[in-house]
Amino acid sequence: MVCKLSVAVFLSFLIFGEVSAQKSSNDPIPEAIKSKIQEAVEHEILWYRAALCPEVDFERFVTRGYANNIIIARRNPKEVFLSDSLGYHWQDYKMIMDITKWPEDKPKVNSYLIKKKGLKFTNGIDTVSYDICNDYFDYDENYVVYYQEDGIPQMISGNVFTDISYPFINKLKKVRLVEAHRLVEFRLAQFNYRSGVSPFEPYETQDYFQFKIDKSLLSPKSVLVRVPKSDPFKTIELLYYTNDTTVTKGDIYGLYEVKYTLKSKPETYEETLPVITKMDRQFINEKIRNESKAWGDVAYFIEMPPIIQQETVTIEGKIDSVYIGDDPIIFVVDTKGKQTEIPYEISTDYLIKGKGKRQVLVKENGEIIYKED
């Protein structure tokens, strides 16, 4: 208990300390800083798509040398993408984005949030919109940049190649809970989480620092965040569990693990995609029982319809007609007028057979279907 409490107090002190330093951060952002950030973010968004989108010919953006194995020059991705439609005027257009301090309620030092909607550019008069692999990149509206004046903007969060250095890496280049927590706060801003970064019990394992975020674009519940001790500045793992049919390809009764591995420099588009794995339905219960109740927070279930069973009922005569009474009871009338009653249970389809070729399917929703074999 003492260990758990000390970690919580430590993180509270960390967050309070960072926020306290921001008392004067409500001042407007100087236009020179906005311009520097705008230029950097615009370039990195487009370069990321040039390098990773499966539909883009990457060779248009580079010049190679030394037996064609080494990239010796890179073209401006904005020029390549926009000049086909805008000609030499591509330089007059800037990507439309909103730049504010981050977080918006209590900003941190040198931290900026960039929001955009789609890929829209303007020259101040006209606006053009582009679909440059837009469907390939999810969670694409939020970016966070760390920028010290007269320095170089660091891309920390969003669909870009990230640049993690000071203050996320301390002078000793060792990762402790404090650095891992700060890194998660910034890197996961892309997913617009609602209530901060919290420790996930156990907070530290042999291989990971563990946290969770709540009510993000990924899940309406919580997401487990793992910072690998072996490679903390290049990789972060995100996991949650669900039966959401948009994830499970229609399987509402199964439990699936969704795992993102956020790499600072992915080499292929496939590396940006989640790995979705079907799990034993008892997985979460076992984790809750053997490790921590926190595992219940990272499982998001949508309401499951009842499992429909089918029963086959055979009557002695030939079927003439079938109807449903008020009780409810299924009434089967044969060709000689004899009536058979079948109790009608919920979540059950009934296939009724007789001596003739006629069969009748009574579905659980009350639909009656006559079949002639």
Side-chain angles (χ1 to χ4, degrees):
M1 178 62 72
V2 174
C3 179
K4 294 178 184 178
L5 185 59
S6 63
V7 172
V9 170
F10 173 70
L11 288 177
S12 297
F13 176 78
L14 165 67
I15 298 168
F16 177 77
E18 290 189 355
V19 170
S20 296
Q22 306 304 311
K23 296 298 184 182
S24 61
S25 60
N26 293 324
D27 299 334
I29 303 173
E31 289 302 317
I33 291 180
K34 280 191 173 183
S35 178
K36 189 78 172 180
I37 293 173
Q38 162 94 30
E39 182 181 355
V41 174
E42 180 183 86
H43 179 277
E44 294 303 321
I45 288 174
L46 296 176
W47 181 253
Y48 189 81
R49 296 186 184 217
L52 295 184
C53 178
E55 295 182 3
V56 170
D57 179 9
F58 180 64
E59 297 307 313
R60 294 183 61 198
F61 298 82
V62 297
T63 301
R64 295 183 182 271
Y66 305 102
N68 210 38
N69 292 323
I70 305 298
I71 295 175
I72 59 175
R74 299 181 179 185
R75 293 184 64 190
N76 186 331
K78 181 178 174 181
E79 177 185 2
V80 178
F81 282 128
L82 272 60
S83 60
D84 287 346
S85 58
L86 298 177
Y88 292 110
H89 295 291
W90 67 267
Q91 300 177 77
D92 300 329
Y93 285 77
K94 293 184 178 181
M95 187 180 295
I96 297 175
M97 57 181 68
D98 183 39
I99 303 173
T100 58
K101 296 181 181 181
W102 182 85
E104 294 172 282
D105 53 347
K106 296 178 180 178
K108 299 179 182 295
V109 172
N110 303 323
S111 304
Y112 300 91
L113 173 68
I114 294 85
K115 289 185 176 181
K116 68 173 189 62
K117 291 186 178 180
L119 293 181
K120 297 179 181 178
F121 296 80
T122 183
N123 62 358
I125 301 173
D126 299 321
T127 298
V128 292
S129 181
Y130 288 86
D131 182 356
I132 304 174
C133 305
N134 291 353
D135 291 339
Y136 282 89
F137 300 99
D138 296 328
Y139 315 113
D140 193 48
E141 307 305 327
N142 300 310
Y143 295 77
V144 165
V145 170
Y146 184 85
Y147 176 60
Q148 291 180 290
E149 196 167 354
D150 299 325
I152 298 174
Q154 292 183 55
M155 312 305 300
I156 305 298
S157 183
N159 289 327
V160 289
F161 296 113
T162 56
D163 177 19
I164 308 299
S165 57
Y166 178 85
F168 309 96
I169 300 177
N170 60 31
K171 294 180 180 180
L172 299 177
K173 295 186 178 181
K174 291 183 178 179
V175 180
R176 302 163 299 179
L177 187 64
V178 59
E179 287 84 20
H181 184 275
R182 180 185 292 115
L183 191 60
V184 170
E185 276 190 300
F186 279 77
R187 285 293 304 274
L188 271 58
Q190 168 183 7
F191 303 106
N192 196 28
Y193 57 86
R194 293 293 191 272
S195 55
V197 175
S198 307
F200 183 93
E201 186 181 354
Y203 312 138
E204 183 177 354
T205 70
Q206 182 177 347
D207 300 318
Y208 297 96
F209 294 107
Q210 299 195 135
F211 308 92
K212 71 180 179 73
I213 56 172
D214 300 325
K215 296 181 180 178
S216 66
L217 296 177
L218 291 166
S219 171
K221 289 193 68 179
S222 300
V223 175
L224 168 60
V225 184
R226 288 175 170 169
V227 181
K229 294 180 178 179
S230 62
D231 193 17
F233 304 112
K234 294 182 180 179
T235 304
I236 288 181
E237 298 176 2
L238 311 178
L239 300 96
Y240 67 97
Y241 300 83
T242 188
N243 68 332
D244 189 335
T245 53
T246 61
V247 173
T248 67
K249 296 183 179 179
D251 180 8
I252 199 171
Y253 298 104
L255 173 69
Y256 288 76
E257 177 186 83
V258 182
K259 180 179 179 180
Y260 286 86
T261 301
L262 302 186
K263 296 185 177 181
S264 60
K265 303 264 188 307
E267 296 182 0
T268 66
Y269 168 71
E270 287 71 24
E271 290 181 11
T272 70
L273 300 176
V275 175
I276 300 173
T277 307
K278 188 169 185 177
M279 311 292 291
D280 187 295
R281 283 194 61 85
Q282 294 303 314
F283 174 82
I284 293 295
N285 292 336
E286 292 296 325
K287 285 289 188 180
I288 293 173
R289 185 180 301 113
N290 298 325
E291 294 186 19
S292 167
K293 291 181 179 179
W295 281 94
D297 296 335
V298 298
Y300 163 53
F301 294 104
I302 59 176
E303 185 177 351
M304 292 185 294
I307 298 175
I308 306 301
Q309 302 178 3
Q310 180 168 299
E311 289 192 13
T312 300
V313 179
T314 303
I315 67 169
E316 294 181 357
K318 295 181 180 181
I319 300 173
D320 177 72
S321 60
V322 173
Y323 65 95
I324 299 174
D326 295 332
D327 286 338
I329 293 176
I330 300 173
F331 293 95
V332 183
V333 181
D334 67 18
T335 54
K336 294 182 179 181
K338 181 180 179 181
Q339 184 171 278
T340 303
E341 297 181 2
I342 303 172
Y344 188 21
E345 298 182 3
I346 61 171
S347 304
T348 305
D349 290 343
Y350 291 87
L351 179 61
I352 305 171
K353 297 181 177 181
K355 289 184 177 180
K357 294 182 178 180
R358 170 171 285 190
Q359 297 181 2
V360 180
L361 178 64
V362 181
K363 298 183 68 66
E364 59 88 26
N365 61 3
E367 182 182 6
I368 299 175
I369 301 172
Y370 288 85
K371 299 180 177 182
E372 305 291 342
D373 285 349

